[in-house]
Amino acid sequence: MNWYDNGNGMMNGSGYAIFGLAAMFIFFGILAWVIVKMVGHDSHSGAHHDHSNHSRNSSEALDHLNMRLAKGEIQPEEYTILKSHLSK
């Protein structure tokens, strides 16, 4: 005779413990999956692409600014001001 035996067959105390354990594993598995998806998507996908696009655009703009200075289209004082705006 089992300590939790109430005569109802398989779903006695140990049956509920197995069901509860399985439900707990499923719940925490889904919770971990959601957290990984949220953290992974926000920190890596969006920020990485935005940073690479920003640095590429800044580099192209700086190249253009350097060319304008080399051609004599702008003065060195204006170059310094525009360069400081690009670095922000």
Side-chain angles (χ1 to χ4, degrees):
M1 197 159 263
N2 201 351
W3 192 44
Y4 291 111
D5 190 15
N6 58 5
N8 290 334
M10 187 172 173
M11 285 305 270
N12 57 16
S14 63
Y16 288 117
I18 291 171
F19 176 75
L21 187 63
M24 183 180 67
F25 279 127
I26 291 170
F27 173 75
F28 283 115
I30 292 171
L31 183 65
W33 179 78
V34 168
I35 290 172
V36 167
K37 287 294 183 182
M38 288 176 59
V39 171
H41 180 71
D42 290 343
S43 68
H44 294 195
S45 299
H48 179 65
H49 292 301
D50 292 340
H51 183 264
S52 64
N53 287 338
H54 178 68
S55 64
R56 184 178 67 225
N57 291 339
S58 295
S59 175
E60 290 175 8
L62 186 58
D63 290 343
H64 181 74
L65 188 61
N66 290 336
M67 188 61 69
R68 287 185 64 197
L69 179 66
K71 289 181 179 180
E73 295 177 359
I74 59 174
Q75 298 298 316
E77 296 84 18
E78 187 178 2
Y79 173 82
T80 305
I81 294 169
L82 293 173
K83 186 176 177 184
S84 70
H85 286 288
L86 287 176
S87 66
K88 289 182 183 178

